[in-house]
Amino acid sequence: MKQFLLQFFTWWNGQTLGTRFWTWRYGEFVGDDEFGNRYYSQKKGTRRWVVYNGVAEPSTIPPGWHGWMHHRVDTPPPRETYAARDWQKPHQPNHTGSAYAYRPKGSILGVPTRPKSDGEYDAWQPK
């Protein structure tokens, strides 16, 4: 019952009932990725869509699937023989707002302690 209500009232948590019906009626399963996202294309047409595994976060789509989704390539990743080079890093979703976010040197959210002064700085004093 909870899953039905989530599909009925939320669009950010997987697929809605409308998307489930559209996928059942017109969709053809193409493949899935390492994050559990499932990719579909229209049986008669050029429409392509993804059903996210969990929260709808577009940055979880890997580069190969991103190219297929945006019609940059016609062959989906499961049907091609692409092998990642050894210097390529694995895809990671956007970590903004999480504990894994990049915090550059000098950021107030970066290192919790201020670095020691080297003594060359003289603070201004009013007269």
Side-chain angles (χ1 to χ4, degrees), residues 3 11 24 50 53 74 79 84 88 102 104 113 115-117:
Q3 197 65 20
W11 57 265
W24 171 76
V50 59
N53 180 20
D74 291 330
R79 295 187 192 144
Q88 289 178 311
Y102 172 69
T113 59
K116 295 277 187 188
S117 176

Side-chain angles (χ1 to χ4, degrees), residues 40-104:
Y40 296 90
S41 66
Q42 196 170 0
K43 293 177 185 174
K44 296 177 183 175
T46 60
R47 186 173 177 185
R48 299 172 181 175
W49 67 94
V50 59
V51 175
Y52 295 101
N53 180 20
V55 178
E57 175 58 47
S59 69
T60 61
I61 297 178
W65 282 108
H66 184 270
W68 180 79
M69 289 285 296
H70 293 277
H71 299 274
R72 293 184 179 145
V73 295
D74 291 330
T75 308
R79 295 187 192 144
E80 62 183 14
T81 58
Y82 173 76
R85 306 217 194 287
D86 55 351
W87 49 265
Q88 289 178 311
K89 293 182 178 181
H91 177 72
Q92 292 184 353
N94 187 353
H95 294 299
T96 301
S98 71
Y100 302 109
Y102 172 69
R103 294 181 172 89

Side-chain angles (χ1 to χ4, degrees), residues 102-108 110-111 115:
Y102 172 69
R103 294 181 172 89
K105 183 178 177 184
S107 170
I108 60 173
V111 181

Side-chain angles (χ1 to χ4, degrees), residues 20-38:
R20 183 180 292 273
F21 178 74
W22 179 269
T23 303
W24 171 76
R25 178 78 194 250
Y26 301 108
E28 178 182 357
F29 178 71
V30 177
D32 53 359
D33 62 17
E34 62 267 18
F35 298 111
N37 301 327
R38 298 175 57 88

